[in-house]
Amino acid sequence: MTTTPPTAPPSGRPAPPASAPAPGARPDRIAAAGTALARALQRITASALGPYQSAVIRIGFAATYLFFLVRELPHRHELYGPDSPWHWDLARQLTAGNDAFSVLLWSDSALWFEVVYALTVLSAAGLLLGWRTRTMSVLFMVGVLSVQNRSVFMGDGGDNVIHLMAIYLVLTRCAQVWSLDARRTAREAERGALGLPPRRDVTGPVLWAVLGPVLLGATLMDGLGGTWWLPVLLWILWLSAAAWWAANRYAPHGQPRALLDVLANLVHNATLVVIMIEVCLIYATAGWYKIQGSRWQDGTALYYPLKLDYFSPWPALSDVLASSGLMVMVLTYATVIVQVAFPFTLFNRRLKNVLLVIMIAEHAGIAVLLGLPFFSMAMIAADAVFLPTVFLVWLGGRAALGRQRLLGWLPRRSRSPETGGPQEVPTARPVPEERGGTGEAPPHGGGGGHTLVG
């Protein structure tokens, strides 16, 4: 059998091999990569991702610290106040060495302590409800840092998580859904659809005007701790509030407003990534340290805390669990396996969701068996950053439905767009299906709680 040699092209150059790509293939791949990159940039700059996850984090950590402050209300003076064993002078010496921040160290007056404690409680409640969220998040951060740094030996691992998340929440747009800010944004959108001018905001500028002199005085008196980042962060937030106000008032649809939205979205999305990394580091370090312990290796580690009176709010229940060697071994090994494996399962949605359920159940068990409810609440709130959006939308819909049934016997009332007063609504307004039946404001473009003044 004979073969015909390949025919050279008219130019005399050898023909390209059959496997060579077409001349336009490489530019097409470059164009496709450029298109994908442009879409990714558009996604992270045009919208604040994870609106439901960030809302759950906001609600979870605000509720955790609010419940803690309320529970410790009778003992507040002994824990963090003037009657604390960790005296005010000792706290001043410690913060002078580690550059920590606490407004409770501005004065040793009992009245000043009561004011700071009350403002921390109110800021936690405001953050929980999503009222003037940016202002409340800043005050919440200041309150958390102040109370915890006043008596550093009064906390546990949950306090460390709250400490970090209180700082992160300031940088997020966590009031896009499930907040009073979102409701206010939706009402303003209704007024705009009817051709009515927006209502004049008085509360926001008043908060901005009051907090400005306080921040200036604290800066001049060197009362913001020894670190550089905290005063810089507070001043950026306060000045950005003025920029947001000016943009919304004079150019609500202009380029400055769009630029501020892009910057806020970038900061929010970057902070969500940091929160995810933080949660993974918490579980990874806890799991790998457990592996090195002999009690975790032989499967008996869980037995010992169950036999400590300090960690046994229900002694009978702890004794039942501790009496089963098989159950103790299974729970001990399962704890290590879940904590070590969780960071590696983030790219497998089903496996990640299964481990999330196990970890949330584990923290619920810690709250009941070991008497650490606030630690468990903090960790469950941190885990919420990985919860699927579909589940959160469904959960919000069930909560809205329950609220409607609970208040169904009351007449439906709404505010008149023209006067702001209540009026009867004979029939319920249909809820958009794309919001999952929750009735929140759109998560993008409304900017719920993205400025210092809310």
Side-chain angles (χ1 to χ4, degrees):
M1 181 177 179
T2 59
T3 59
T4 304
T7 304
S11 61
R13 297 177 181 176
S19 60
R26 182 176 178 83
D28 288 345
R29 288 198 297 268
I30 295 177
T35 301
L37 179 61
R39 289 177 178 175
L41 290 176
Q42 172 70 13
R43 180 172 175 80
I44 64 176
T45 57
S47 61
L49 304 178
Y52 292 95
Q53 287 80 358
S54 58
V56 172
I57 293 174
R58 167 181 60 84
I59 295 170
F61 281 100
T64 299
Y65 210 63
L66 176 62
F67 294 158
F68 171 78
L69 293 176
V70 172
R71 191 195 72 170
E72 302 298 346
L73 195 62
H75 314 290
R76 64 191 184 279
H77 288 276
E78 291 77 13
L79 291 175
Y80 304 105
D83 299 331
S84 173
W86 189 249
H87 197 260
W88 188 82
D89 293 332
L90 295 175
R92 289 276 294 182
Q93 294 178 24
L94 180 62
T95 55
N98 61 12
D99 295 331
F101 162 76
S102 175
V103 298
L104 288 175
L105 299 179
W106 291 359
S107 172
D108 59 351
S109 168
L111 177 61
W112 176 244
F113 168 77
E114 297 291 356
V115 170
V116 173
Y117 199 92
L119 287 177
T120 305
V121 172
L122 293 176
S123 65
L127 186 62
L128 173 64
L129 298 175
W131 180 79
R132 303 288 170 174
T133 309
R134 183 56 61 236
T135 304
M136 293 300 107
S137 66
V138 174
L139 294 178
F140 179 73
M141 177 189 72
V142 171
V144 169
L145 297 182
S146 299
V147 172
Q148 291 187 355
N149 290 335
R150 168 61 181 84
S151 299
V152 294
F153 301 108
M154 295 298 177
D156 53 26
D159 288 344
N160 295 331
V161 178
I162 296 174
H163 189 111
L164 293 172
M165 294 300 173
I167 300 174
Y168 297 152
L169 281 174
V170 174
L171 305 175
T172 63
R173 308 182 78 170
C174 55
Q176 300 174 96
V177 297
W178 298 341
S179 68
L180 296 180
D181 287 345
R183 178 179 295 184
R184 187 175 70 250
T185 302
R187 288 175 176 173
E188 291 299 326
E190 292 177 359
R191 290 179 59 86
L194 295 175
L196 300 173
R199 292 191 183 94
R200 183 179 179 182
D201 183 18
V202 178
T203 306
V206 168
L207 289 172
W208 183 82
V210 170
L211 293 176
V214 175
L215 180 58
L216 179 61
T219 304
L220 294 178
M221 293 187 302
D222 196 21
L224 297 179
T227 59
W228 63 267
W229 64 267
L230 183 60
V232 170
L233 174 62
L234 294 177
W235 276 110
I236 289 176
L237 291 170
W238 188 77
L239 294 174
S240 66
W244 275 106
W245 178 86
N248 287 327
R249 182 176 179 86
Y250 299 108
H253 303 291
Q255 293 298 322
R257 177 65 167 77
L259 177 60
L260 291 174
D261 255 326
V262 168
L263 293 176
N265 291 334
L266 284 173
V267 173
H268 168 91
N269 295 331
T271 305
L272 276 189
V273 174
V274 172
I275 292 175
M276 294 178 183
I277 296 174
E278 188 76 40
V279 175
C280 291
L281 287 175
I282 290 173
Y283 284 117
T285 53
W288 287 106
Y289 271 112
K290 286 181 174 66
I291 288 179
Q292 302 174 42
S294 60
R295 295 295 176 262
W296 292 96
Q297 293 175 6
D298 60 25
T300 62
L302 184 61
Y303 174 84
Y304 299 98
L306 292 175
K307 288 299 183 179
L308 294 176
D309 293 338
Y310 183 77
F311 292 109
S312 299
W314 311 97
L317 184 59
S318 299
D319 290 341
V320 170
L321 182 59
S323 62
S324 174
L326 177 61
M327 184 62 66
V328 168
M329 183 185 66
V330 170
L331 291 178
T332 300
Y333 286 150
T335 300
V336 176
I337 292 172
V338 169
Q339 291 182 350
V340 172
F342 178 73
F344 300 100
T345 64
L346 296 182
F347 298 100
N348 188 313
R349 181 178 302 178
R350 294 183 178 179
L351 187 56
K352 181 260 296 182
N353 292 339
V354 171
L355 290 187
L356 271 178
V357 173
I358 295 175
M359 288 192 302
I360 291 175
E362 174 188 347
H363 290 307
I366 291 174
V368 175
L369 292 174
L370 302 183
L372 298 172
F374 300 110
F375 167 78
S376 299
M377 290 178 64
M379 291 308 304
I380 291 174
D383 294 340
V385 71
F386 295 108
L387 289 176
T389 302
V390 174
F391 169 74
L392 293 177
V393 171
W394 174 86
L395 188 64
R398 297 305 94 189
L401 181 61
R403 180 186 61 188
Q404 291 175 3
R405 290 179 177 177
L406 182 63
L407 303 178
W409 58 276
L410 295 175
R412 290 277 297 177
R413 305 177 71 87
S414 68
R415 293 185 178 271
S416 170
E418 293 81 3
T419 63
Q423 68 176 11
E424 291 287 343
V425 178
T427 58
R429 184 175 55 189
V431 179
E433 294 182 359
E434 61 271 14
R435 305 301 303 156
T438 58
E440 294 92 358
H444 311 311
H450 57 270
T451 67
L452 179 62
V453 295

